[in-house]
Structure formats: C-alpha cells, structure tokens
Amino acid sequence: MAYKITSQCISCKLCASVCPVGAIKIIDGNHWIDPDLCTNCVDSVYSVPQCKAGCPTCNGCKKQPNDYWESWFDTYNNIVKNLKKEPDYWETWFNCYSQKYSEQLQKLNSK
Ligand code: SF4
Ligand code: SF4
C-alpha cells in the first residue's frame, strides 16, 4: 500500500471525490484507502497523487514507506521537521534564564 489516511484527517471528504480510481472509502465517518484499488495515481493523467494534492491538512494522506530504511528516514524526517518548528527553543530558554537570574540579582542587591 502506498498511501494511507492518517490521524490528521479532518474528514473533509475532498480526497474521496478526487481519487481517480475510487480507492478512498468512508466507513463510519472514517476515511480509508483500499490498498487493492490505490494505484498511487501512477499511470493516470495526474502527475501527483490526487488525495495528497487536495488534502487541506499537511499529512492527511500520507505515502507509506516500502521498507525498513524508507520507514526509518520517514520517522527521522518527521522528528527533524518537528524540531525545526521550535527554532526559538534556546532563545526562549536563554531569555527565561536571564530574567530569573536578573530577578535573583535584584533581590540580592536590595538586601
Ligand atoms: S494515491 Fe491516487 S489512487 Fe491512491 S488513494 Fe490517493 S488519489 Fe486514489
Ligand atoms: S482530503 Fe485530507 S482531510 Fe480531507 S478527508 Fe481526505 S485525508 Fe481527510
């Protein structure tokens, strides 16, 4: 199976309407890709997977890794991406530390 609906899906139903082979099913309100029908949009008129292209979330329709190393790099890239979402971590830490240090210093000087 190449594509899978993830937990980020918000059930907008867009992918189900654009899939060229009708591989996206909705069961009890949950979207699901039938692996026997999904062609990855290969050999179709589209150059990109339509479910992923139209999904309003970042990872609602996500390509599944084919083997161990693809899975490993997929996990690694996700971790790095999440770390990069917090570029101000050390700056925040330093500002907080500086503020606390400054408060302690003021307390000591006022005695
Ligand atoms: S990759 Fe293409 S064929 Fe597969 S579920 Fe998505 S839209 Fe349908
Ligand atoms: S397009 Fe994305 S958010 Fe909408 S139903 Fe499909 S997977 Fe879920």
Side-chain angles (χ1 to χ4, degrees):
M1 180 159 119
Y3 276 80
K4 188 178 176 184
I5 307 283
T6 72
S7 58
Q8 292 192 25
C9 171
I10 57 171
S11 299
C12 74
K13 299 184 176 145
L14 188 76
C15 56
S17 64
V18 296
C19 176
V21 294
I24 299 171
K25 312 291 182 193
I26 304 171
I27 298 173
D28 294 334
N30 296 317
H31 288 65
W32 170 75
I33 296 178
D34 186 337
D36 293 331
L37 294 177
C38 175
T39 61
N40 303 344
C41 290
V42 173
D43 296 332
S44 69
V45 294
Y46 306 105
S47 57
V48 293
Q50 292 300 285
C51 54
K52 183 170 176 59
C55 182
T57 73
C58 288
N59 281 312
C61 304
K62 194 172 176 196
K63 191 173 192 299
Q64 293 303 290
N66 290 321
D67 58 29
Y68 174 82
W69 286 111
E70 203 175 338
S71 171
W72 190 91
F73 278 108
D74 192 47
T75 304
Y76 172 82
N77 287 333
N78 276 334
I79 290 170
V80 169
K81 192 168 72 184
N82 285 335
L83 284 174
K84 284 181 179 170
K85 278 183 192 166
E86 298 184 31
D88 298 335
Y89 176 83
W90 288 111
E91 190 182 336
T92 305
W93 179 88
F94 183 76
N95 289 341
C96 183
Y97 177 82
S98 305
Q99 188 186 344
K100 297 283 178 203
Y101 185 75
S102 167
E103 285 168 8
Q104 293 289 330
L105 209 57
Q106 277 179 352
K107 273 186 199 168
L108 282 174
N109 287 338
S110 65
K111 285 182 182 174

